[in-house]
Amino acid sequence: MNVTSKPFGKTKDDHEITLYSLTNANGMQADLMNYGAALVNLFVPDKNGVLADVVTGYDNLDAYLGSHPYFGVVVGPNANRVGNATFTLNGEKYLLSVNDGVNNLHSHDDLGYQRRVWEASANDTSVTFSLIDEDERLGFPGSKKMSIRYTLTENNELKLEYNVTSDKDTIINPTNHTYFNLAGHQADTINDHLLTIKASYYTPVAAGAIPTGEIAPVAGTPLDFTASTRIGDRVDENCEQMKLVGGYDHNWVIDGYDGTVKEAARLTDPVSGRSMVTLTDLPGIQFYGGNMIPAHDGKENAAYHARCGLCLETQFFPDSANRPEFPSAVFGPERPYASTTVYRFENV
């Protein structure tokens, strides 16, 4: 294993950003930066041993400082949506940024964790990013200390380990928002990928992509990925759930959730033979098919556009702050947050 670093630019307020590279004996390489604790590049071998970068992103820091679809970043303190941008906890009402219709999405557009400069430390196998988040910053209670450690293993696994402590009860639900295309980040579409999600149920949404509170079976719907299915086969099917969000952008309820790390999804590009297994100890996974990626240039002048990449975001369910029937994302002095997500790469 090898870890190196190099400058990646400066923010507008003159913070130096560093790009850290983790490389294993198989040639796999993960490049990470301390702005947004983001995964910038991920080079993975195909069935013939040929490396390709399988995540969307940019060649320079300036592009990340501008508007973009959360490429590679860690989102927090709460990822996904909160209905009406408010929640009540321990009798207190908290107001969040109204940035997605009447709702809150990903905590805050400009001040969320994806826009923070994180402290970084590296050893021979991993890089750890950490930050301190003040009480009621962005509307969330509690003074919080958060870290995420990225480890690249010799088994071609990229392991993400999150830890958060808070001096008050609060909502903590971070995720990594990387967009994958196993054919290579410059490939045209993810529609030809095969996807399996180990979930017999999902959380249907209403207008604004806020869960209704129902936990519904996927059987008989375009959201049934219990068997390996080509993503493009049903993405434009005449289904109300699909029309509400322009394709796939839903939370799946992982079968057999018990707080241990287990397989949640498997993604395969049949041409390259690359396959990615997502494992997590969290109860949900958001499959977002990149429906709203705007047409623009990415790394190596690649032409990015809708559905050129997809996210598999491990998480507590959207709007769990307002849904006591969902698994609780309330953490505090008596309940520190700790979770692990693993992206394991194989060839088929």
Side-chain angles (χ1 to χ4, degrees), residues 23 49 66 68 78 80 119 137 162 196 209 261 264 284 286 292:
T23 307
H68 66 88
N78 182 72
N80 218 307
E119 295 293 325
R137 184 178 177 274
Y162 302 80
T196 305
V261 177
Q286 185 92 4
M292 304 303 291

Side-chain angles (χ1 to χ4, degrees), residues 324-335:
E325 66 269 33
F326 287 172
S328 175
V330 175
F331 295 87
E334 305 302 319
R335 190 191 183 202

Side-chain angles (χ1 to χ4, degrees), residues 78-86 96-106 202-215 240-241 244-245 249-251 286 315 317-323 325-326:
N78 182 72
N80 218 307
R81 293 171 173 86
V82 177
N84 294 311
T86 185
L96 308 179
S97 171
V98 180
N99 65 354
D100 187 50
V102 299
N103 305 312
N104 174 264
L105 174 64
H106 295 331
Y202 77 108
T203 52
V205 297
I210 298 296
T212 63
E214 182 185 8
I215 294 178
E240 183 64 20
Q241 282 295 306
L244 281 169
V245 292
D249 191 8
H250 297 80
N251 170 71
Q286 185 92 4
Q315 61 179 8
F317 303 167
D319 202 32
S320 59
N322 292 311
R323 293 289 179 182
E325 66 269 33
F326 287 172

Side-chain angles (χ1 to χ4, degrees), residues 254-262 280-283 316 335 338-340:
I254 298 169
D255 288 343
Y257 166 67
D258 60 5
T260 64
V261 177
K262 60 182 58 182
T280 186
D281 53 10
L282 293 172
F316 284 92
R335 190 191 183 202
S339 73
T340 298

Side-chain angles (χ1 to χ4, degrees), residues 48-98:
N48 299 313
V50 177
L51 292 171
D53 184 359
V54 300
V55 301
T56 59
Y58 304 107
D59 294 318
N60 59 77
L61 178 63
D62 286 348
Y64 287 98
L65 297 177
S67 177
H68 66 88
Y70 294 86
F71 283 160
V73 295
V74 171
V75 178
N78 182 72
N80 218 307
R81 293 171 173 86
V82 177
N84 294 311
T86 185
F87 65 91
T88 300
L89 180 60
N90 297 337
E92 294 286 334
K93 185 176 182 179
Y94 295 94
L95 305 178
L96 308 179
S97 171
V98 180

Side-chain angles (χ1 to χ4, degrees), residues 74 113 118 129-131 144-148 162-164 174:
V74 171
Y113 291 177
W118 299 56
F129 300 106
S130 58
L131 58 74
K144 297 169 282 294
K145 296 180 180 179
M146 175 171 176
S147 68
I148 177 171
Y162 302 80
N163 285 277
V164 189

